[in-house]
Every structure is written in C-alpha cells, then in structure tokens.
C-alpha cells in the first residue's frame, strides 16, 4: 500500500514537471512552423499569392482576421515570413493553453498530451496546410476547455467569436458543443444510444447516403459562398466515397474513449468527459455523411481535433482506474500513425 502511494506521488511529480518541460517542444515547433518555406503546405503558397501578391480586402461581415493580420504586417513593411510566424505563434499558443487546461483537470502528463497531439496526421495539416481552419479550431479548443472548467461565459463567447472570425466553418463545432453540453445533462445511458446511431450512420455512409442527399437545402444555407461548391457533387479530382480508413480510425478512438469513461473514478470528471465524448460521436457522424463530398477530411477535423483530449486521462491521470496500462500501446500506435503520414 505504501509502495502504491509512493508510485502515485512520483507520477504526480512527473506530471507537474511536464508542465515546464513541454515549453521547449512548443517553442521549437512554433519556430519551425513559422519559418517554413513558402512551398510547405498547399495553403502556405495560396495565401502568399492571395495576401501578398494581391491586395487583401477586409470584409467585416464574414471571416476577416486573416486579412487584417496580413494588412497589419504589411503596414510595417514586413515580409510573409513574419505573417507565418505570427500565425504559428497564435496556433501553438492556443493548442498549448487548451492542452494545459484539460491536462490540469485530470492531473495528467502535459508533455505526453502534446506528443500525442503532434503524432496525429492532422497536426501537420492544421499547422502548415489548412492554416486558417487550424488556427480557428485551436482557439475553439481553448474555448471548449474553458467551458469544461466552467470559466467566465463572456470569455468563452469572445474566443468563440474570434474563432469564427478566422474561419466561418467553426460555427459547426460551436453548435455541436452546445448540443453536446445539453445532451450530457441527460441520462448516462444516452451515450450508448448515440453509439448505436454512430454505427447506423456508418451503414448509411457505406450505402452512399449522406450530405449530397440534402445538398439543395445545405446549398441554400451556404448561399453564394464558395463552400457551397463542396456540395454540388463535383469532385475536383478528389477521391470521394466510403473511406474505411477514416471509419476504422474514428471507431478505434471511440472504443478507447468508452474504455476511459468506464474507468474514470471522479463523477464530476465523468460528466465533463461525457461532453467531449458526445461531441466526438456527433462530429464523427458528420464526417461519415461527408464521404460523398470532396475535402471530407476538412469535415474530419471537427472530430479529430478532440481525440488528443479524449485520451489525455490515459497519460498518468490519478483519476483513471485502469488495470491495463493501455497508454503504452496507444503511444506506439500514435508514433507509427503520425510518422507514417509524415513520411508519405
């Protein structure tokens, strides 16, 4: 018993130490991403053409923060690298703050949480490719952790508005978070019903039933915005159709999340975990229904970005009652999956 207590205390000390050790990789990643070449990431080159080769125009009725940042950088006669560096700082700052907030809830190891995040294939895409959506989701993740901490509601609303000002599609996860928060107050058995619907949606996707079946109404909602072109059935040379690799990927981490939920010892933490788990399930529905569309991976980001948060309790949280040290196996999988995609 005494040995178990000493081990637990040692783990807590390691977790506290990780709060300081994590700063080095965050700084290094920020610098590497900020000072990257202009041909690293599709959007990096696209934004160089749109924001530097052309004169960006501000439209305050829609997404404007990217253009505003570019104009401010140009006002001081600074080059595009300064713009990429500032965007990189914003992205990694909010990812770091979000991971730190959530790790503190579970007294988990922050360094391992960051390593898990950067091991996933979508991390590279968020930071160098779909950078505007990446920054938007990073800010939204921070707002999400503030919500789970029951922080000031005004602050949560402000960060949510800022996220939308970077990328309008953040309205979708905001609505999903609101729905998930509401559903989490219902019976705990609701989770299992949602999981049943999860597999039902997979079946619909396999039968090629999805967003295209309701495209007319969605196109009206999007109006003349260019995003409505994602719903008109044109593929733009993008492979559409049922993607078993995404189904297996999301389902694997759903099973891991259900395992974690079952083994959480704190009732209050389990309630908070229900919010993010319900969000993940519903966001996965959207991904599966989007298989008919080009750029379905953009829809996938809505669910993928919370996976590192779903698995954070595995990283030495004292509130997880687990007989199997599953995080060791999981970390090996994360390393393999992450670097496999980096190398491809």
């Amino acid at each position: 018993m005494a040995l178990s207590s000493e081990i637990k205390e040692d783990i807590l000390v390691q977790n506290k130490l990780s709060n300081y050790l994590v700063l080095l990789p965050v700084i290094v990643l920020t610098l590497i991403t900020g000072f990257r070449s202009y041909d690293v990431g599709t959007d990096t080159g696209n934004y160089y053409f749109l924001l530097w080769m052309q004169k960006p125009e501000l439209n305050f009725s829609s997404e404007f923060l990217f253009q505003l940042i570019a104009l401010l950088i140009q006002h001081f006669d600074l080059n595009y690298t300064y713009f990429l560096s500032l965007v990189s700082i914003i992205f990694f700052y909010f990812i770091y703050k979000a991971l730190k907030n959530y790790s503190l809830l579970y007294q988990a190891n922050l360094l391992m949480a960051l390593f898990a995040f950067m091991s996933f294939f979508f991390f590279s895409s968020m930071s160098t490719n779909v950078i505007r959506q990446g920054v938007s989701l990073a800010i939204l993740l921070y707002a999400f952790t503030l919500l789970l901490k029951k922080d000031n509601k005004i602050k949560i609303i402000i960060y949510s508005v800022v996220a939308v000002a970077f990328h309008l599609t953040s309205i979708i996860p905001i609505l999903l978070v609101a729905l998930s928060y509401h559903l989490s107050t219902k019976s705990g058995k609701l989770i299992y019903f949602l999981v049943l619907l999860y597999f039902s949606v997979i079946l619909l996707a396999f039968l090629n039933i999805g967003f295209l079946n309701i495209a007319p109404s969605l196109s009206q909602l999007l109006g003349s915005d260019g995003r409505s072109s994602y719903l008109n059935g044109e593929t733009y040379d993008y492979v559409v159709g049922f993607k078993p690799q995404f189904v297996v990927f999301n389902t694997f981490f759903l099973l891991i999340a259900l395992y974690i939920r079952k083994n959480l010892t704190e009732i209050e933490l389990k309630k908070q975990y229900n919010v993010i788990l319900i969000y993940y399930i519903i966001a996965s529905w959207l991904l599966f229904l989007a298989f008919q569309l080009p750029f379905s991976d953009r829809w996938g980001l809505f669910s993928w970005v919370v996976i590192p948060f779903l698995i954070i309790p595995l990283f030495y949280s004292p509130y997880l009652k687990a007989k199997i040290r599953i995080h060791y196996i999981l970390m090996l999988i994360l390393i393999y999956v992450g670097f496999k995609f980096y190398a491809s």
Side-chain angles (χ1 to χ4, degrees):
M1 192 72 178
L3 180 61
S4 175
S5 178
E6 288 179 9
I7 293 174
K8 187 173 182 180
E9 184 177 344
D10 184 56
I11 289 174
L12 290 176
V13 170
Q14 291 180 33
N15 290 350
K16 288 180 180 179
L17 183 62
S18 72
N19 293 329
Y20 301 99
L21 295 177
V22 75
L23 293 176
L24 178 60
V26 168
I27 293 171
V28 171
L29 286 169
T30 302
L31 293 174
I32 292 174
T33 305
F35 287 94
R36 68 184 181 274
S37 173
Y38 296 173
D39 60 355
V40 176
T42 305
D43 275 6
T44 304
N46 290 343
Y47 283 121
Y48 177 70
F49 177 77
L50 293 172
L51 300 178
W52 248 252
M53 303 300 290
Q54 299 181 7
K55 184 70 173 179
E57 295 182 2
L58 283 178
N59 180 9
F60 289 100
S61 64
S62 184
E63 311 148 325
F64 65 89
L65 276 182
F66 236 50
Q67 289 85 349
L68 180 60
I69 292 173
L71 288 172
L72 287 174
I73 295 292
Q74 291 173 12
H75 176 75
F76 292 101
D77 199 28
L78 301 174
N79 63 28
Y80 188 56
T81 297
Y82 284 91
F83 172 79
L84 293 179
S85 298
L86 181 56
V87 170
S88 177
I89 290 170
I90 296 171
F91 174 77
F92 282 103
Y93 172 79
F94 282 105
I95 289 294
Y96 163 74
K97 291 289 290 183
L99 289 172
K100 184 177 181 180
N101 280 351
Y102 202 72
S103 296
L104 285 175
L105 286 176
Y106 293 90
Q107 295 186 39
N109 191 294
L110 178 57
L111 183 61
M112 293 186 72
L114 175 69
F115 183 71
F117 200 107
M118 62 179 285
S119 296
F120 283 109
F121 63 89
F122 53 81
F123 170 80
S124 177
S125 179
M126 287 177 67
S127 57
T128 62
N129 187 15
V130 289
I131 50 180
R132 193 158 55 91
Q133 186 181 14
V135 170
S136 179
L137 288 175
I139 297 171
L140 205 55
L141 284 172
Y142 176 63
F144 196 1
T145 61
L146 293 179
L147 176 67
L148 295 177
K149 285 175 57 181
K150 295 180 172 57
D151 210 312
N152 185 282
K153 292 182 180 178
I154 300 298
K155 187 192 297 185
I156 296 169
I157 292 172
I158 290 173
Y159 281 116
S160 299
V161 171
V162 171
V164 172
F166 269 107
H167 206 276
L168 196 60
T169 59
S170 284
I171 291 175
I172 296 172
I174 288 173
L175 293 175
L176 294 186
V177 168
L179 177 61
S180 303
Y181 197 84
H182 172 70
L183 292 177
S184 70
T185 62
K186 308 299 180 182
S187 170
K189 295 181 179 179
L190 177 66
I191 294 284
Y192 301 105
F193 175 69
L194 295 176
V195 170
L196 178 62
L197 289 179
Y198 173 95
F199 288 102
S200 300
V201 174
I202 291 176
L203 177 60
L204 290 176
F206 181 76
L207 296 174
N208 198 32
I209 298 173
F211 283 141
L212 276 184
N213 302 95
I214 52 174
S217 59
L218 286 175
S219 294
Q220 289 176 6
L221 179 65
L222 291 171
S224 60
D225 193 288
R227 294 180 192 83
S228 62
S229 62
Y230 293 174
L231 301 169
N232 59 17
E234 296 181 25
T235 63
Y236 306 93
D237 296 326
Y238 186 95
V239 178
V240 299
F242 188 74
K243 295 182 173 60
Q245 69 273 28
F246 288 169
V247 172
V248 171
F249 182 81
N250 278 48
T251 303
F252 172 76
F253 285 102
L254 172 62
L255 297 176
I256 294 294
L258 292 171
Y259 165 86
I260 293 171
R261 178 180 178 273
K262 180 181 177 181
N263 288 282
L264 284 174
T265 57
E266 283 286 326
I267 296 177
E268 192 60 33
L269 283 179
K270 182 172 286 191
K271 290 179 180 178
Q272 293 173 342
Y273 195 82
N274 283 344
V275 180
I276 194 169
L277 177 55
I278 291 172
Y279 170 89
Y280 177 72
I281 293 171
I282 300 176
S284 295
W285 297 351
L286 297 185
L287 168 61
F288 302 151
L289 293 173
F291 283 162
Q292 295 176 322
L293 310 176
F295 314 109
S296 59
D297 54 333
R298 305 277 178 111
W299 294 82
L301 276 176
F302 297 145
S303 60
W304 298 336
V305 292
V306 298
I307 291 177
F309 296 84
L310 284 172
I311 63 177
I312 275 178
L314 291 174
F315 304 134
Y316 304 109
S317 170
Y319 301 113
L320 186 65
K321 181 184 178 182
K323 296 179 180 179
I324 302 173
R325 293 296 181 183
I326 195 171
H327 53 268
Y328 292 119
I329 301 171
L330 185 60
M331 287 303 297
L332 292 174
I333 295 172
L334 290 176
I335 294 169
Y336 174 79
V337 171
F339 287 100
K340 181 72 174 179
F341 274 87
Y342 285 159
S344 62

